[in-house]
Amino acid sequence: MFHAVSKITIIAERLLQKKLIAQIEEAGAKGYTIVDGSGKGEHFVRPGDRATVIKAFSIIRIEAILADEATARALAEEITKIHFKDYSGIVYLSPIEVVRKDKF
Amino acid sequence: MFHAVSKITIIAERLLQKKLIAQIEEAGAKGYTIVDGSGKGEHFVRPGDRATVIKAFSIIRIEAILADEATARALAEEITKIHFKDYSGIVYLSPIEVVRKDKF
Amino acid sequence: MFHAVSKITIIAERLLQKKLIAQIEEAGAKGYTIVDGSGKGEHFVRPGDRATVIKAFSIIRIEAILADEATARALAEEITKIHFKDYSGIVYLSPIEVVRKDKF
Amino acid sequence: MDTLLDFAQTFAIQLQKPTLAFLLGGMAVAAFGSKLSIPDSVYRFIVFMLLMRIGLEGGMEIREADFRAILLPAIFAVVIGCAIVLIGRFSLASLSAVNKTDGIATAGLFGAVSASTLAAGLVVLEENEIFFEAWVPALYPFMDIPALVVAIVLAHMSEQKTNGKNTERPKAWPILVDSLRGSALSALILGMILGLITRPEQVFEEFYDPTFKGLLSILMLIMGIEAWGRLSELAKVAHWFAIYALAAPIIHGLLGFGFGYLAHLATGFSPGGVILLAIIAASNSDISGPPTLRAGIPKANPSAYIGSSTAIGTPVAIAVCIPLFITLADIIFA
Amino acid sequence: MDTLLDFAQTFAIQLQKPTLAFLLGGMAVAAFGSKLSIPDSVYRFIVFMLLMRIGLEGGMEIREADFRAILLPAIFAVVIGCAIVLIGRFSLASLSAVNKTDGIATAGLFGAVSASTLAAGLVVLEENEIFFEAWVPALYPFMDIPALVVAIVLAHMSEQKTNGKNTERPKAWPILVDSLRGSALSALILGMILGLITRPEQVFEEFYDPTFKGLLSILMLIMGIEAWGRLSELAKVAHWFAIYALAAPIIHGLLGFGFGYLAHLATGFSPGGVILLAIIAASNSDISGPPTLRAGIPKANPSAYIGSSTAIGTPVAIAVCIPLFITLADIIFA
Amino acid sequence: MDTLLDFAQTFAIQLQKPTLAFLLGGMAVAAFGSKLSIPDSVYRFIVFMLLMRIGLEGGMEIREADFRAILLPAIFAVVIGCAIVLIGRFSLASLSAVNKTDGIATAGLFGAVSASTLAAGLVVLEENEIFFEAWVPALYPFMDIPALVVAIVLAHMSEQKTNGKNTERPKAWPILVDSLRGSALSALILGMILGLITRPEQVFEEFYDPTFKGLLSILMLIMGIEAWGRLSELAKVAHWFAIYALAAPIIHGLLGFGFGYLAHLATGFSPGGVILLAIIAASNSDISGPPTLRAGIPKANPSAYIGSSTAIGTPVAIAVCIPLFITLADIIFA
Ligand SMILES: Nc1ncnc2c1ncn2[C@@H]1O[C@H](COP(=O)(O)O)[C@@H](O)[C@H]1O
Ligand SMILES: Nc1ncnc2c1ncn2[C@@H]1O[C@H](COP(=O)(O)O)[C@@H](O)[C@H]1O
Ligand SMILES: Nc1ncnc2c1ncn2[C@@H]1O[C@H](COP(=O)(O)O)[C@@H](O)[C@H]1O
Ligand code: NA
Ligand code: NA
Ligand code: NA
């Protein structure tokens, strides 16, 4: 049996990691996964594994699965509003299916 | 021409990597991609790039594209049943589209 | 308010990074995110963090969000045609939703 | 009284030595909330360098060793490893407030051996110019592997009893092979073999040996940072784990000291060897043990055993046990 | 005229020294489009090693230091840090072509201190056998933190004025704590404390000291590669940033030299100390400053301040200022 | 017969030396299924350190070199590089069981040069106190780049013929630039330039030189682990690749030895130089060659050429060829 749930993905500066995680947990997510990355957007190019001199500017990609779609949407809007005027970053939602709905 | 196929994503302890890959290949996937990560779930926080002392506990994120949706669903259920009672981990399916269906 | 947009994900040899990014930017994407990975496909196994001796062969995973679905489809087909006959790699499209459409 | 003074003095001197100072420095830095961290790849490389160095030296000196002299301490190491797990099984793991499986896994980790504690012990002995047989570090696997095997078997038996189901019993052989394949033991044993059958003297003296203390100081810093970071983990499980983690290294170390003393009487095992055996017994595995236990006892909560070991067990083994056993040897072998 | 010749000669000699040569080599290699790069984890480890080494030495020698002698230079360091930011605020940041917030952030970075420039300065002084008080590197935080605090407060005030809105004023204390928690200052201060209260002499002499110059040469290579890579970044912002980045290190360095000279007259601060204070003043933060500014002045464009500092400021501080102030000291203290 | 005995003896001695011992140790460890691994960033840093060290020394000694003496060996290096690829084209690549493109790419890799084999050769020569001109390592690019260029051009010509289509012919210049931009050649050449025009003597003697052998021992371990890991890759392609990989290093090395001997007769090229030229010829590229070939001959299967080179070619070059050519030189120059 599969259940349709929402996945929120946040790509942002490492600097914001603590705050983003706090927001994700507050919204009720039971977990999250982070991978390191590099990238380019409006702001500036972020080198990857090369010695970066300024690590805090590198990009992280956080994904969190939320059982409730409305919560996910509210979280995405909140994060956009609070952080992404000043800091680099994007948020998006993906529809996914999971086996154990109660896990999320 | 695009074809709708299924992507299965597994987030689990590195410890399970070998077994998970064997299952993925047995299910008929022609490939998979792994990225390293860190995260938090029910069990415990897994630090990322910081010296972790216990590397085997860190998180990997495996994704595999399967041409056949039913196979993907069966694989997701099997992996959940076999591993995720005892070990940390989650599985989810995403709908995606690919160009070359015969490649998957 | 959420907007449905397209996400293109490319998994390919690091060797192709420069060319792929140029194509993505030319197609009009305003950004992209890269993470390092390892994997297996038709060609050969690519070790991850272990000393690989041949780094250029390792896998990268590029994702780029495009506001316009048709552009994303065209880009996916172009990349497949140009690169993935000779080089390793796959492309897929995912449907996602974003908050700020004008950002992409 | 004098003993206590002696210990206080030895302890004060050790505090000034880089080994302990960097360990405490790491804890302080983490407690202050500092972002200071050593990259994971550097950490793994340092562990390799230390174990290769210990292995090479052991291998080179083992060439002239009298194998009969090794036999008794090796048997004792096996006995100590098993005994520690059994003690844990019938103390910590039998408390009603403690999940039995978690308790057994923790006992397994405390029976197993820590490469970093061993390295720290070697440096402190050298600094104090205490002689020991160069093959003593080779006792590591003799205590480490049996402890892990016993813990996994005991955990399985206890689960059998609870569930009533009759699942396949874990076999010792695959656990042993898995342990030997771990990066820590592999490096140590490869070093020993290379030291034994090749002539690495020059590269040892020019590269592996001179960097030993420096790299150890960084490892101690990492262990300190990690210890502090894991304290919060430990807070999530029963207090008994913390109490066990405080007492166990000292008790296990005394057990090791006792057996070492027997070997001293029987075959002239050196006082330095006795201290080192006690340190090995006091230590708890931080690198290779956890993944083996995770695979072998999947139902055990890693927060319990890793928290106990990394946050408390290892700091106690390094900071308390090393000076303690040196003082003890001073008194007994005086 | 003679002075110019002197400088040209000192500069030519420095060019031949590894410090400068590796910096320029890194720039050349990057300009050629080479894929040569040093892994990020190695870079972070090297920075740790250098700062730990500087801290340990400072700590060990501070034991015998006369604390009254430190007081005046420390106060001067604070004054210089604040003054540099104010100068930037009323020069660069008040130009109409320059975004005021970007200008203030850049001034903050140039008021702050660079660990790599400091390390390079120490090695060059040593190579030239110029004596300096071992506690001079400890002036680092005294200049670094005030500069960052002042920049963040000024940026906030300027935004207040523009927006009319009355948002909460940034407090100095959290910025200070955040700075001290950064990996660079943490390593330096931990090193100093360990050097002061423990006995790390042996590990210092066997490990941290002998690798210092070699690791610095690699750091210089990295800084060179990075400088070239960031030039394109700088091209995206107003030319004034490039001009500021060229001139500021020299002007700030002279300011530092002036205050150092006052301390020399007042309390006998050594000529080497004066040079080092000038180098610290000339330097601009490359490791800890940027994240603090990013958090404190989010509206400022990192391309502006990181480009200015990494692509031009640091190469000028190392390649021009270090030989310049040595020549100047030669003349003044002759 | 005597020769064989000689070789057996040299080989036995080399086996005891860390270079070979760590290589075989790495293979053994991997064969045992051990999880021991050296982090990728450490590996890349070690390669940088070795090539920088080789480059610096070459550069420093080249200052006094007689450029006419270099000319002939350099020309010979170019000739050998091209000849090896042509030999491969008309042997391996013309077998019907072998995909022609894969065969040409493999020949290209065997014509190109391995930094690790070169470093191993240097250490073994030093250990045996065999003199060689310090500029010999500088022959590396002279053999490496032509081999890659010829392979890419030949592969293109062969594909042209098969497809009938007339696509653009690859140009030598971009391949050359791309090769020089690779991290290995960049480090070597940067080192040579720094050695030639600056004064890195101190940092060389205190840092780059003393760590050389130790870092090489770790690199050998990595190459051994990697060799074993790639064997399975090789099993997927025609057996001929394995046979070629076994024989080619020896044949190419003898070719190199022959040309070196000519240079010895013509311009007094030293016996050590002859051995080193033979080792360079015997070596097959493991770092910079593969990506260049991957980009230049995309239709070739990397499993074929990387498998051949890493799994068999490099171990044979290091373990068999180095002692073989030393023995040969002993006999010929006796
Ligand atoms: N269109 C996009 N597709 C994928 N990732 C993006 C996109 N735009 C921005 N990003 C990521 O988000 C980070 C910050 O973006 P920005 O705020 O635009 O500078 C970039 O470094 C990228 O990693
Ligand atoms: N809701 C979630 N969203 C994203 N990742 C999750 C979530 N829950 C768990 N994970 C990931 O799966 C790993 C194991 O989870 P767990 O089994 O809950 O400990 C965690 O470390 C996370 O990386
Ligand atoms: N079915 C698949 N699912 C996920 N990733 C794949 C799949 N097939 C290939 N890949 C990734 O794409 C890379 C190149 O694939 P290939 O071109 O098939 O060798 C592999 O190394 C994998 O990382
Ligand atoms: Na133990
Ligand atoms: Na400054
Ligand atoms: Na060759």
Side-chain angles (χ1 to χ4, degrees), chain B residues 11-17 36-41 43-48 52-60 86-89, chain D residues 40 105 109 226 230 233 285-298 300-307 310:
Chain B
I11 298 173
E13 301 181 48
R14 182 183 298 280
L15 197 70
L16 297 178
Q17 176 165 337
D36 288 0
S38 53
K40 188 177 159 187
H43 298 95
F44 73 9
V45 184
R46 292 139 204 296
T52 49
V53 178
I54 307 137
K55 186 81 182 172
F57 285 64
S58 65
I59 282 295
I60 53 168
D86 289 344
Y87 295 99
S88 292
Chain D
D40 183 55
L109 214 54
E226 187 79 9
R230 292 273 172 204
E233 208 95 49
S285 178
D286 35 31
I287 296 165
S288 37
T292 303
L293 286 176
R294 183 75 181 126
I297 317 181
N301 177 3
S303 294
Y305 55 85
I306 294 178
T310 314

Side-chain angles (χ1 to χ4, degrees), chain E residues 84 109-114 143 252 279-285:
Chain E
I84 288 174
L109 215 55
F110 277 75
V113 175
S114 155
M143 193 182 303
H252 301 163
I279 292 172
I280 291 174
S283 80
N284 38 89
S285 179

Side-chain angles (χ1 to χ4, degrees), chain C residues 13 15 18-19 40 42-57 85-88, chain F residues 37-40 43-44 222 225-226 230 233 236 286-287 290-291 294-295 298-299 302-303 305-306 310:
Chain C
E13 302 180 47
L15 198 70
K18 259 197 180 166
K19 284 185 194 159
K40 187 176 158 188
E42 252 175 278
H43 297 95
F44 72 11
V45 185
R46 292 140 204 296
D49 174 49
R50 191 176 58 118
T52 49
V53 178
I54 306 135
K55 186 80 181 172
F57 285 64
K85 249 175 303 170
D86 290 342
Y87 295 100
S88 292
Chain F
S37 74
I38 304 294
D40 183 55
Y43 160 68
R44 285 187 286 141
I222 295 172
I225 294 174
E226 186 79 8
R230 293 273 172 203
E233 208 96 49
K236 288 188 226 152
D286 34 30
I287 297 165
R294 183 75 182 126
K299 290 211 187 310
S303 294
Y305 54 86
I306 293 177
T310 313

Side-chain angles (χ1 to χ4, degrees), chain B residues 29-34 63-66 103-104, chain C residues 11-12 38-44 46 59 87-90:
Chain B
K30 293 194 188 144
Y32 55 81
T33 301
I34 304 178
E63 61 184 11
I65 298 172
L66 285 147
K103 164 100 188 152
F104 299 98
Chain C
I11 297 174
S38 52
K40 187 176 158 188
E42 252 175 278
H43 297 95
F44 72 11
R46 292 140 204 296
I59 282 294
Y87 295 100
S88 292
I90 61 172

Side-chain angles (χ1 to χ4, degrees), chain D residues 26-196:
Chain D
M27 296 176 81
V29 148
F32 176 62
S34 163
K35 297 188 198 85
L36 180 63
S37 73
I38 304 294
D40 183 55
S41 47
V42 173
Y43 161 68
R44 286 187 286 141
F45 180 60
I46 289 176
V47 171
F48 164 80
M49 288 287 293
L50 298 181
L51 287 166
M52 179 54 75
R53 145 71 172 74
I54 297 176
L56 285 174
E57 175 158 75
M60 292 185 311
E61 304 211 19
I62 236 170
R63 287 180 209 149
E64 285 110 53
D66 175 3
F67 278 87
R68 280 162 312 172
I70 304 182
L71 192 67
L72 197 65
I75 292 170
F76 282 174
V78 174
V79 172
I80 298 167
C82 299
I84 289 174
V85 183
L86 288 169
I87 294 173
R89 165 70 187 78
F90 293 105
S91 59
L92 176 71
S94 65
L95 292 172
S96 65
V98 166
N99 174 304
K100 179 160 285 166
T101 312
D102 292 357
I104 295 174
T106 307
L109 214 54
F110 277 75
V113 176
S114 156
S116 47
T117 306
L118 173 59
L122 291 175
V123 164
V124 174
L125 284 189
E126 250 176 58
E127 280 173 354
N128 288 283
E129 293 177 9
I130 301 176
F131 166 84
F132 57 91
E133 293 84 353
W135 46 260
V136 182
L139 298 178
Y140 177 158
F142 290 90
M143 193 183 301
D144 191 66
I145 297 174
L148 294 171
V149 169
V150 171
I152 291 171
V153 169
L154 284 183
H156 185 260
M157 280 165 57
S158 125
E159 275 171 37
Q160 283 298 66
K161 225 183 273 171
T162 325
N163 299 341
K165 275 189 279 181
N166 227 348
T167 57
E168 210 191 339
R169 207 179 129 175
K171 292 195 188 63
W173 182 249
I175 306 173
L176 185 142
V177 170
D178 192 62
S179 293
L180 291 174
R181 278 181 180 157
S183 55
L185 272 184
S186 287
L188 181 73
I189 294 172
L190 175 64
M192 294 193 68
I193 295 176
L194 290 177
L196 189 61

